[in-house]
Amino acid sequence: MILLALFGCAEPPESGSSGLADDPVGLPAEVNADWFCGGAARSYDRDQPAFTETTEAWGLTDFTASTMIALDLDGDGYPDLVANEQGGEGRDDPASGVYGHRVLMNREVAGRRAFVDETVQSGLIVSADGSSGSGHGVYVGADVDGDGDVDLFAGRTHDKGNDDVTGERNAIFLNDGAGHFSRLAGSGLETDIAMPTASAAFTEVDGDGIADLWVVNWYEEYGVTPNSLPPKLYRGVGDGHFTDVSDGSAMDLKPTRSKESWTQRENRRPGFGATACDLDGDRSPELLQSTYARSWNLMFTQQDGEWVEIGEEAGFDEDPNLDYSDNLYYVCWCAVTGGCDPEPAFACPDTKYASWTPGYDDHPSRLGGNTFTTVCGDVDNDGDADLFNAEIHHEWAGVSADESQLLLNDGTGHFEHGDTRTLGLDRKGGGDHTDLGDLHAAFLDYDNDGWKDLLVGESDYPDTQFWTWHNQGDGTWEEASDETGLNQPWPHGIAVADFDLDGDVDVVTGSSHARGGSPWVDNALHLYENRLGGSSLRLSGLALGAHVEVTTAQTTQSFEVGGGYGVGGMQHDLALTIGLAGECAVESIAITPPFGETMRTDPLSGQ
């Protein structure tokens, strides 16, 4: 049962030390509350998993993607899909039936919801010269021109070593409100050279209510130079145009042309993921770069009106284990040169690995992770945002290379790296699983119990699959991939949304067939429909970056309305689906816009 509740506009809060309005009020007029009063969620196990694959019923069997975003593009309340498998060097050719991008609209078809291909009609694959076919590789969305619908950033991922055959540049596509897009000329994102853009996130960095854009870039020329292009922050003007405000800031990192410069914190690192969220509770976002090459992740925050990089101070740059004595290359180099301190952890299996540069390979800047995606969310319901880093970890690199890891916030934006096995976040019941190919991850409350669970997409290496962990609510997790049915081999990309608006979240992913060994022959899309139901509250119409706290008789959950994150671009429905653990009432909802004051409601009920 769905009950729609619209509440009157809140009076502006009076200033005060608490930041709260004196009199509790209803939700602002622009925020919709949909109640789903289904009681407790259904039970599930391996024989009756939580999710059932319904790809065919949703009309997705003919489509492929390696990354995807789920956003309501036409304002009908139902999340649509932008599916992407274009790496940035090719382009669509609709005349020949070749597509690297799809715009799939969530429609009613024959009495049920299904996706309809409106790629060409959408205008999203129109190139800069007006011809049909896009060369973009990254998409995220937000309302950039203030007209109430979702516009899109399209990022180009170009390597300097390849010919610029498409001529594409990073771009903004404006939505007419019905899911039809037009490219905005002179958006301020265009550059003379094609950028190696790997990820982007819309955010709000200055409290003017206008979407800003955080962009992370990859190597300039992979395998040829250690230099990457620096991350970029673009300030939104309000009409879809943007201004680069990175130059001269802490983000304007120095070029990395040598091993010596690699070890300096002020030099560039190849980024794979962009994330923006408030980590220290001041209601302004921190900007995160998930970094490749076992190097430092970056965290930028504003202090006295200036951006500073605090990754090391915050404990985000890498985990504290810097022991390289079991790195295979170090072990074999020691076998050739002799007299190493520390002593290798085991004997060299083959001296062909004997490649090691003291002062460089043993430097902390080479003992971190290959971080592809950083997820932000409050997993322990203590009011602050925690992080999860999805990493590729090679067994030969040893324990110094970061594994995928949960980082718990102490409330001030400083992080403790949780022990994976103690937390229950190990794989297959505690066995060693040292070659990890984790590219994508998401927090989602799949059983509506009020605690965010974890979904990790592991790809490209043997025995890889979707991994699902259930949040036990006591600080520990239980691996539940088979029980949920979210155990697909070789997934690629994640989009989480309540596609059928039945009160529980569904999952879309693609398929990987890189490196050999995959059961898939292409990047086939898969939709997993949640069958658990339960009681939940769906809040839509919230501002980008808004911090939301929902208090029930059992707990307080906190959320932030995100603008995309992760390698290749990931984004989930902008509406929040909030599990209520079988109840259908809340004691209050507190909403705080970026840099703004908090408005708190009276108790609300869906019954």
Side-chain angles (χ1 to χ4, degrees), residues 148-205:
D149 54 39
V150 178
D151 310 298
L152 294 174
F153 164 77
R156 171 80 184 282
T157 309
H158 175 68
D159 188 290
K160 184 180 177 181
N162 298 321
D163 292 336
D164 185 11
V165 294
T166 70
E168 279 288 13
R169 299 295 184 266
N170 292 351
I172 292 292
F173 285 83
L174 297 179
N175 192 346
D176 68 356
H180 304 122
F181 295 89
S182 57
R183 182 192 293 257
L184 179 64
S187 67
L189 305 180
E190 299 86 354
T191 52
D192 292 337
I193 62 170
M195 301 287 282
T197 295
S199 182
F202 281 110
T203 184
E204 221 279 65
V205 301

Side-chain angles (χ1 to χ4, degrees), residues 448-511:
N448 281 330
D449 67 351
W451 296 89
K452 297 178 183 68
D453 309 303
L454 174 63
L455 181 60
V456 174
E458 185 185 13
S459 305
D460 294 2
Y461 290 94
D463 301 320
T464 59
Q465 64 170 75
F466 252 153
W467 296 92
T468 312
W469 285 272
H470 182 253
N471 189 338
Q472 303 289 83
D474 60 1
T476 65
W477 305 69
E478 181 179 21
E479 196 261 299
S481 309
D482 294 342
E483 290 80 0
T484 60
L486 295 177
N487 57 358
Q488 176 189 307
W490 295 63
H492 208 292
I494 303 173
V496 177
D498 184 359
F499 290 107
D500 48 9
L501 296 193
D502 65 350
D504 52 30
V505 293
D506 312 299
V507 174
V508 170
T509 188
S511 309

Side-chain angles (χ1 to χ4, degrees), residues 249-414:
S249 74
M251 301 158 193
D252 193 10
L253 300 167
K254 298 177 181 179
T256 302
R257 303 293 185 189
S258 65
K259 291 182 177 180
E260 182 181 6
S261 61
W262 180 273
T263 64
Q264 306 303 309
R265 287 193 176 267
E266 64 269 20
N267 288 74
R268 300 174 188 173
R269 326 249 148 230
F272 251 142
T275 302
C277 58
D278 174 24
L279 298 173
D280 57 9
D282 66 355
R283 300 301 172 251
S284 69
E286 276 62 54
L287 306 179
L288 311 182
Q289 173 180 301
S290 308
T291 299
Y292 183 68
R294 303 193 316 281
S295 194
W296 292 313
N297 295 320
L298 306 178
M299 179 186 294
F300 297 91
T301 192
Q302 295 187 75
Q303 295 179 359
D304 299 322
E306 301 289 337
W307 289 98
V308 295
E309 200 282 309
I310 60 166
E312 181 181 23
E313 174 190 337
F316 175 65
D317 60 342
E318 60 189 345
D319 74 25
N321 191 338
L322 304 181
D323 177 10
Y324 52 85
S325 65
D326 64 346
N327 183 302
L328 181 59
Y329 289 87
Y330 175 74
V331 169
C332 292
W333 179 79
C334 290
V336 172
T337 61
C340 284
D341 184 15
E343 286 292 328
F346 52 86
C348 172
D350 191 331
T351 56
K352 72 179 182 181
Y353 294 104
S355 174
W356 188 263
T357 303
Y360 171 67
D361 285 315
D362 54 4
H363 191 272
S365 62
R366 291 280 291 162
L367 303 175
N370 295 304
T371 314
F372 281 67
T373 292
T374 300
V375 192
C376 185
D378 181 9
V379 300
D380 49 10
N381 288 350
D382 64 354
D384 53 44
D386 309 297
L387 301 172
F388 182 86
N389 284 337
E391 312 268 1
I392 279 187
H393 177 276
H394 302 290
E395 185 174 9
W396 59 259
V399 297
S400 68
D402 295 2
E403 294 184 355
S404 295
Q405 210 167 51
L406 183 66
L407 282 65
L408 294 171
N409 195 334
D410 71 356
T412 68
H414 295 81

